[in-house]
Amino acid sequence: MRFLPLIHSSLNIYFSQSFQNFLNKSLFSANSLSEHPDSIRLVINTIKDLDPARKCYRLIGGVLVERTIKEVLPAVERNLQGINQMIKQLSDHMKKKQTELDDFMEKYNIKPARQLQNQIGIKS
């Protein structure tokens, strides 16, 4: 029975590390996704002043298709709005999960290794 607190503590630390890994992967995804709006804005700014009847090409599902600017521009603008919305949702979700992790770590008195090292004076 005296090992129960040790097991409980190990599980809590494992859970918090797993949760932190999840947050790190989500942050990486959000960062890579946040690069896309700039390139889409560049496309929109490039084609918006051109003749709407002009031919353009768009890659859809790995297939290059010929369309007109009149057909492509609204779709590209919708894609930009969708990506911006997805980035906002992902950011909100990550903030919520970070709060959950912080609450969990506070509840079970879990401290990151660096914080513990600083408290007891170990230099890394």
Side-chain angles (χ1 to χ4, degrees), residues 116-123:
L116 289 174
Q117 289 172 350
N118 290 340
Q119 284 180 348
I120 59 176
I122 297 176
K123 295 181 181 178

Side-chain angles (χ1 to χ4, degrees), residues 34-81:
S34 67
E35 296 171 3
H36 291 287
D38 293 334
S39 61
I40 293 174
R41 272 189 220 97
L42 181 63
V43 169
I44 290 171
N45 290 336
T46 302
I47 68 173
K48 71 180 177 184
D49 296 328
L50 299 176
D51 178 20
R54 183 175 174 170
K55 291 181 188 177
C56 67
Y57 297 89
R58 182 170 180 221
L59 193 63
I60 301 175
V63 177
L64 193 61
V65 294
E66 181 180 315
R67 298 281 188 256
T68 63
I69 291 177
K70 180 181 176 182
E71 296 170 321
V72 170
L73 189 57
V76 173
E77 290 171 339
R78 278 192 308 271
N79 286 351
L80 178 61
Q81 290 172 351

Side-chain angles (χ1 to χ4, degrees):
M1 289 310 256
R2 65 182 182 192
F3 294 111
L4 190 58
L6 182 61
I7 292 171
H8 183 69
S9 175
S10 297
L11 287 175
N12 288 341
I13 292 170
Y14 174 76
F15 177 78
S16 66
Q17 288 172 345
S18 297
F19 209 80
Q20 189 64 48
N21 288 340
F22 167 76
L23 288 174
N24 288 339
K25 288 178 184 178
S26 297
L27 182 62
F28 179 76
S29 297
N31 285 339
S32 65
L33 189 60
S34 67
E35 296 171 3
H36 291 287
D38 293 334
S39 61
I40 293 174
R41 272 189 220 97
L42 181 63
V43 169
I44 290 171
N45 290 336
T46 302
I47 68 173
K48 71 180 177 184
D49 296 328
L50 299 176
D51 178 20
R54 183 175 174 170
K55 291 181 188 177
C56 67
Y57 297 89
R58 182 170 180 221
L59 193 63
I60 301 175
V63 177
L64 193 61
V65 294
E66 181 180 315
R67 298 281 188 256
T68 63
I69 291 177
K70 180 181 176 182
E71 296 170 321
V72 170
L73 189 57
V76 173
E77 290 171 339
R78 278 192 308 271
N79 286 351
L80 178 61
Q81 290 172 351
I83 288 174
N84 286 335
Q85 183 180 16
M86 187 183 300
I87 290 170
K88 182 182 180 328
Q89 288 174 348
L90 185 57
S91 175
D92 293 344
H93 182 71
M94 286 175 42
K95 287 176 187 175
K96 180 182 171 192
K97 291 297 180 185
Q98 183 64 51
T99 303
E100 288 177 19
L101 176 62
D102 293 343
D103 293 345
F104 177 83
M105 291 177 71
E106 184 178 329
K107 179 179 178 180
Y108 292 103
N109 197 24
I110 298 171
K111 296 184 172 96
R114 285 195 176 130
Q115 187 178 355
L116 289 174
Q117 289 172 350
N118 290 340
Q119 284 180 348
I120 59 176
I122 297 176
K123 295 181 181 178
S124 52

